[in-house]
Amino acid sequence: MSARGPTTFNPLAAAGTALDTPLARILAERIQVEGPMTFRDWMDACLYHPEHGYYRSGRPTVGRDGDFLTSPEVHPLFGAAVGHVAASLWRSLGRPNRFRIAEVGPGSGALAESILRHVSADEPELAEVIGYTLVEPDQRAAESPQQRLASFRGVKTSSDLSRLQAEHQLVVANELLDAIPVHLLCFGNGRWRERYVNQTPERGFHFISGEPSSERLLAPLREVTPAEGQLVEVAPQRGEIVSSLRGALAERGLLLLFDYGYTRDRLYAPWRRDGTLMTFRRHVPGDDPLAHPGEQDITAHIDIDQVHDAARTAGLYALPVLNQSEWLHRLGAAVLPAVAEAQSDTSAYLAARRAAETLTDPAGLGRVAVIGLSRGELPPLPGWETA
Ligand SMILES: C[S@@+](CC[C@H](N)C(=O)[O-])C[C@H]1O[C@@H](n2cnc3c(N)ncnc32)[C@H](O)[C@@H]1O
């Protein structure tokens, strides 16, 4: 089983050739009519085409039956830790008689279920007043978390992040931003050029270079000293999403994001010549983002400075960034009751122990960045008290 770890390949060296999926035929036709497309548009279609996109096709994506593992899919320990933060936030806000959580991109509903279970067991008074909104644009994708959470009260679904009211004390998203489409840029002869996807009968899908499709793609690269041939990913859309997430926060509230990513100096360091783009199919990392359109995951690490800049512009205060390993170790007390409960059954206990190792693995999920952004003044939260 694989979490989405580091990459060691150059995606530009790869090119899919076969029109082996329904989406491949649609995209080949589109390129014939409209010409080469930005990699952002390619990735957007591959992940979010309404019928054939990876996250829209109705097939399992994350989890053991899917293509890669996310933290909520590993074990409820992860959700227990988030639930512990939620309970602390509720208490520090004076135990309001309505506490709203929005989760954006809820996948299978595993995170929501473990947060709600933890809160019911640990803070029953909060469980009585919780409202939990799943933000999932795709109706078919929303069905599985809705069914999974049917026994909890106060759960509803919204299809559009930008329509949420500014009333949520906690907005949480796991691996949302690293699934947002990226532009690819490559440095050569003193300037950045953008990579576009082209298709011909002889070469199949392949990359070609051109002028950047927009000047704003270059903004995060101004301070960067790139190596010749360096490849980077840039995604202005992620900043816009952070602004929308902020729009859902109440006057005092916390935005909690978990994503693979680095600060800009590390993300665009000259030694990271091949960028961070990677694919996943049946738990195997792949090296060709042009292969099997719509039938494999494509992801790229986030620029943590971009998230912080967008958050500050939107009036949020950035808590120190932690990695998931540090954060979970600090929250041990919250996680322990779940393990202790499992102790009555040896195999469950051992599974929880193994899960804790997986969730804190410094080469895997333990590397995930935990980004806390607060609106209004909040007291120190569990995980950050000593940060
Ligand atoms: C890598 S998956 C993570 C799923 C889940 N959070 C987990 O950890 O298992 C990324 C999810 O973000 C969702 N997503 C992308 N853009 C979104 C948006 N604008 N609003 C809500 N969800 C979105 C995708 O549909 C996909 O389900």
Side-chain angles (χ1 to χ4, degrees):
M1 298 297 152
S2 59
R4 309 202 282 189
T7 174
T8 53
F9 62 85
N10 180 349
L12 293 192
T17 47
L19 297 184
D20 63 344
T21 67
L23 186 59
R25 292 185 278 282
I26 292 170
L27 292 175
E29 230 174 86
R30 179 168 157 189
I31 291 170
Q32 252 167 40
V33 175
E34 297 174 12
M37 63 204 298
T38 61
F39 183 76
R40 194 223 83 90
D41 289 352
W42 169 270
M43 183 167 163
D44 189 50
C46 287
L47 299 185
Y48 304 113
H49 181 279
E51 197 180 345
H52 303 294
Y54 179 73
Y55 287 116
R56 299 288 178 262
S57 64
R59 284 189 302 273
T61 55
V62 293
R64 287 176 172 78
D65 299 333
D67 297 292
F68 60 97
L69 275 187
T70 56
S71 298
E73 298 292 333
V74 169
H75 197 275
L77 283 180
F78 177 75
V82 178
H84 181 68
V85 172
S88 164
L89 184 58
W90 175 69
R91 285 190 297 269
S92 65
L93 291 175
R95 302 172 177 258
N97 58 13
R98 198 84 184 115
F99 186 82
R100 292 191 171 84
I101 300 177
E103 186 190 346
V104 185
S108 72
L111 177 58
E113 183 180 5
S114 48
I115 291 175
L116 291 168
R117 277 201 196 292
H118 177 82
V119 168
S120 300
D122 225 49
E123 195 69 82
E125 235 184 283
L126 167 58
E128 290 292 311
V129 298
I130 227 164
Y132 200 108
T133 303
L134 307 162
V135 184
E136 173 53 72
D138 185 59
Q139 215 179 336
R140 192 160 43 160
E143 281 168 16
S144 117
Q146 279 165 344
Q147 281 165 14
R148 184 171 188 156
L149 301 166
S151 63
F152 292 95
R153 2 183 328 236
V155 178
K156 60 179 185 178
T157 307
S158 165
S159 62
D160 188 352
L161 171 59
S162 63
R163 300 234 302 261
L164 292 189
Q165 301 286 321
E167 60 183 13
H168 301 84
Q169 286 90 349
L170 176 63
V171 176
V172 61
N174 188 63
E175 294 208 35
L176 166 71
L177 295 180
D178 64 23
I180 297 302
V182 295
H183 293 262
L184 284 181
L185 293 151
C186 190
F187 190 77
N189 298 320
R191 64 197 182 114
W192 290 103
R193 305 258 294 160
E194 185 162 357
R195 298 294 170 153
Y196 293 79
V197 181
N198 194 17
Q199 199 272 345
T200 59
E202 302 74 38
R203 294 185 60 195
F205 293 109
H206 58 277
F207 284 107
I208 58 168
S209 290
E211 290 302 317
S213 55
S214 159
E215 268 294 306
R216 72 180 185 146
L217 300 183
L218 303 178
L221 303 171
R222 294 214 200 290
E223 308 289 313
V224 172
T225 313
E228 187 69 16
Q230 184 170 344
L231 181 69
V232 297
E233 304 96 16
V234 176
Q237 194 185 346
R238 289 177 177 157
E240 291 155 17
I241 290 181
V242 172
S243 308
S244 303
L245 292 164
R246 146 70 177 80
L249 278 177
E251 264 174 44
R252 291 173 75 204
L254 176 71
L255 170 57
L256 188 52
L257 302 172
F258 299 87
D259 278 291
Y260 286 104
Y262 299 116
T263 48
R264 200 167 286 160
D265 55 337
R266 291 180 66 203
L267 182 67
Y268 298 144
W271 45 264
R272 201 184 298 285
R273 284 179 55 102
D274 296 333
T276 66
L277 191 73
M278 57 195 313
T279 67
F280 278 92
R281 201 174 192 219
R282 299 187 198 110
H283 297 274
V284 179
D287 61 1
D288 187 352
L290 303 185
H292 321 301
E295 295 186 4
Q296 65 177 359
D297 177 46
I298 308 176
T299 178
H301 286 28
I302 67 161
D303 167 359
I304 294 174
D305 290 311
Q306 177 194 16
V307 173
H308 278 170
D309 288 348
R312 275 189 214 101
T313 305
L316 300 182
Y317 168 79
L319 278 59
V321 175
L322 302 171
N323 66 42
Q324 185 164 299
S325 176
E326 287 172 284
W327 185 73
L328 280 177
H329 278 119
R330 288 168 182 211
L331 285 170
V335 167
L336 275 175
V339 177
E341 195 185 309
Q343 257 171 340
S344 55
D345 169 345
T346 312
S347 65
Y349 174 69
L350 292 175
R353 285 280 302 269
R354 274 197 306 278
E357 279 167 26
T358 306
L359 290 168
T360 55
D361 176 3
L365 288 166
R367 284 191 319 119
V368 165
V370 183
I371 302 177
L373 303 161
S374 68
R375 180 172 181 213
E377 207 147 302
L378 298 181
L381 291 163
W384 280 277
E385 289 121 333
T386 53

